[in-house]
Amino acid sequence: MPYSFILKAALFIVILPFAVVSIKLNNIKYATIITKDKIKFKYLVIIFLVFALNLTYSCNKEFGALKLSNFVIGTLPSILILIYIKEIFDDSLILLITPFLLVGSVLLMTVLLFTGSFTYAGSYKILNLEYSHVIASRILSPIILWFNYLISTEENKNTIYKIFFPVLYLNTGLIFIAHRASVTGVILITIYFIFTCKNRLITGCLLISSLVIAFLLFPQKTERHKNLFSAGNKNDYSIESRLDLWETAIEKIREKPLTGYGLGGFKCPADKPFVHIYKYPHNIFLEAGSEMGLTGIILLIFLLYKILISAYRKSKFLFSIALLAFWWSLFSKDISTQTVLWMYAGMIEER
C-alpha cells in the first residue's frame, strides 16, 4: 500500500504542472472544468456513499476504512486528471509524444530483460531494489496498446515501418514479464484491433510474430503462461490461490446475498488458507457481491456500462485501455485500487 500510494502521488505531482500550464495557455477557467463535469461527480458521490454505508456494518472495519481512504486519495485525483485530458485529447497528440514514449518504453523493457532477473515469485531485482512484474506490465501494456493502435489505423500508415520492430520487441518483452492478465488482455484487444482496423495484415503479423518469438524461442520465460487455463494446478501458486479465493467469495455471496459482509469484510473467518493471506478475492464482481451484496453488483454493472460506452464514443484507443483495465479487474487488485478503471468515470457522458 505505501509503494502504491507513493507511485500515485509521484505521477500526480509530475502531471499536475503540465495540466496547470496547459489550462493557462488555453485560457480555460478552473470553475468551468468543475461545473462542466459535475455530472461525473454524481457517480463519484454514489460510489463514496455506497462504500461508506457498507463500512458501517463491516466485519473488518479497519481494512474497509483503508479501502475507502484509498479510493479518495488514489482514485479521485486520477478521475479529475482524466476529466481534464478528455477536454484536450486529440489523436494528433498521440503522434506528437510517440517518439518519446517509444524510446522510454524500449529502455524500460531492455533494463527489465537484461539487468533484472525474473523470478517465479514475480519480481525483478535492479540495483538491490525489487520491482513487481505486475507494476512493470501495467506500465508497459497500455503503451504497447497505444502503438498497436497506431499501426492499425490507415491515417498513420507512414509511421508503421518506423515503429513496427520496436513494438514487436515490446510485445515480446511483455510476454517475458509473465503477468498473464496483461498478456492475455493485450492479445485480446489486439485481436479486436485486427478485426476493426484497416491495416489488418500489419497488426495481425505483429501479434503473431510476437507470440512466435516469445513462445518458441524462449520457452523457459513463458512457462507460467502454459498453465493459464490449468484449473487446480498445484504447481502454480497464483492460479491455486485465486481458485480458493473465488470459491470463498461465492460462498460468502450465498450466505449474505442482499447485504454482503460490508466493505473490507471479505477477510472474515474462513476455512480457506489463502483467505488469511489475501484481503480481497482478486475479482471485482465477486468482491462487490461478497462485501456489498446484490446492490453492489447492480451498481458495479451500471457504472462499468457507463464507463465503457462513454470511452468507446470518445476514442478507440481510450476504449482499448478501459477494456484492458476491466480485464485486469477480473484477476487482480481490490475494488478501491482499480484506479485505471475508475478514472474513466471522468468520461461518463449523458445521452
Side-chain angles (χ1 to χ4, degrees):
M1 187 64 71
Y3 296 110
S4 175
F5 175 78
I6 291 172
L7 179 61
K8 291 174 183 176
L11 289 173
F12 184 73
I13 291 171
V14 170
I15 293 174
L16 190 59
F18 289 98
V20 172
V21 171
S22 182
I23 287 173
K24 292 292 185 182
L25 291 176
N26 291 282
N27 295 319
I28 301 174
K29 296 181 179 180
Y30 293 101
T32 304
I33 297 176
I34 296 175
T35 55
K36 190 175 182 179
D37 290 283
K38 61 184 178 181
I39 191 70
K40 280 79 176 177
F41 290 97
K42 176 179 71 175
Y43 296 101
L44 303 184
V45 170
I46 291 174
I47 296 173
F48 181 84
L49 289 178
V50 171
F51 280 5
L53 177 64
N54 283 270
L55 180 61
T56 59
Y57 62 86
S58 172
C59 62
N60 190 355
K61 285 185 171 59
E62 182 179 356
F63 184 59
L66 184 62
K67 292 175 71 169
L68 185 62
S69 62
N70 191 74
F71 174 76
V72 174
I73 294 172
T75 304
L76 291 182
S78 301
I79 295 172
L80 293 174
I81 289 173
L82 195 69
I83 288 175
Y84 169 71
I85 291 176
K86 180 177 73 73
E87 297 301 320
I88 65 169
F89 185 84
D90 191 319
D91 283 345
S92 62
L93 185 65
I94 295 179
L95 292 176
L96 180 64
I97 69 172
T98 291
F100 304 99
L101 200 59
L102 185 59
V103 171
S105 56
V106 167
L107 287 175
L108 174 61
M109 181 56 71
T110 302
V111 169
L112 291 174
L113 290 180
F114 295 101
T115 67
S117 57
F118 173 73
T119 65
Y120 192 81
S123 63
Y124 289 92
K125 282 193 174 182
I126 305 175
L127 301 176
N128 295 323
L129 297 174
E130 287 194 355
Y131 297 87
S132 168
H133 67 302
V134 176
I135 293 177
S137 63
R138 283 177 179 260
I139 293 173
L140 284 167
S141 48
I143 294 174
I144 292 170
L145 284 181
W146 184 310
F147 293 129
N148 286 351
Y149 168 73
L150 279 180
I151 288 177
S152 68
T153 55
E154 182 72 20
E155 296 79 9
N156 300 323
K157 182 179 286 187
N158 61 328
T159 66
I160 289 176
Y161 300 105
K162 297 178 183 177
I163 67 174
F164 182 86
F165 289 104
V167 176
L168 175 65
Y169 170 69
L170 287 172
N171 272 285
T172 305
L174 178 65
I175 297 175
F176 285 169
I177 290 178
H179 185 222
R180 288 169 295 199
S182 286
V183 172
T184 52
V186 168
I187 289 176
L188 289 173
I189 296 170
T190 301
I191 292 174
Y192 160 76
F193 284 151
I194 292 173
F195 284 100
T196 58
C197 71
K198 296 180 180 179
N199 291 321
R200 295 182 182 180
L201 180 61
I202 296 293
T203 313
C205 288
L206 179 68
L207 176 63
I208 294 172
S209 300
S210 302
L211 294 174
V212 169
I213 292 174
F215 284 96
L216 295 184
L217 299 184
F218 303 96
Q220 71 280 6
K221 287 283 189 179
T222 57
E223 181 180 354
R224 296 181 77 232
H225 301 303
K226 296 177 181 177
N227 299 323
L228 180 61
F229 301 108
S230 301
N233 184 351
K234 299 301 180 181
N235 296 319
D236 196 316
Y237 180 86
S238 62
I239 290 180
E240 184 183 356
S241 62
R242 278 168 174 74
L243 291 174
D244 198 350
L245 293 169
W246 294 345
E247 182 181 355
T248 301
I250 292 173
E251 291 175 359
K252 289 182 177 294
I253 292 173
R254 289 173 176 170
E255 292 169 2
K256 293 189 175 182
L258 296 180
T259 62
Y261 279 82
L263 191 68
F266 173 77
K267 191 178 180 180
C268 290
D271 297 330
K272 306 292 189 302
F274 288 110
V275 179
H276 297 285
I277 302 174
Y278 298 104
K279 297 179 179 180
Y280 47 89
H282 288 68
N283 181 286
I284 194 172
F285 288 105
L286 293 179
E287 182 180 1
S290 60
E291 295 190 354
M292 295 179 281
L294 184 61
T295 303
I297 294 179
I298 293 175
L299 174 64
L300 179 62
I301 293 174
F302 171 74
L303 286 172
L304 289 176
Y305 167 76
K306 299 289 287 186
I307 286 172
L308 292 174
I309 197 69
S310 296
Y312 180 79
R313 288 168 179 165
K314 180 62 181 175
S315 164
K316 285 186 177 181
F317 166 68
L318 293 177
F319 176 63
S320 70
I321 304 300
L323 275 181
L324 180 64
F326 170 67
W327 180 257
W328 283 339
S329 73
L330 301 179
F331 304 99
S332 63
K333 304 187 78 174
D334 70 277
I335 197 169
S336 66
T337 56
Q338 300 289 349
T339 308
V340 180
L341 180 61
W342 291 131
M343 66 189 292
Y344 279 83
M347 281 197 163
I348 292 178
E349 299 175 355
E350 294 297 324
R351 291 292 179 96

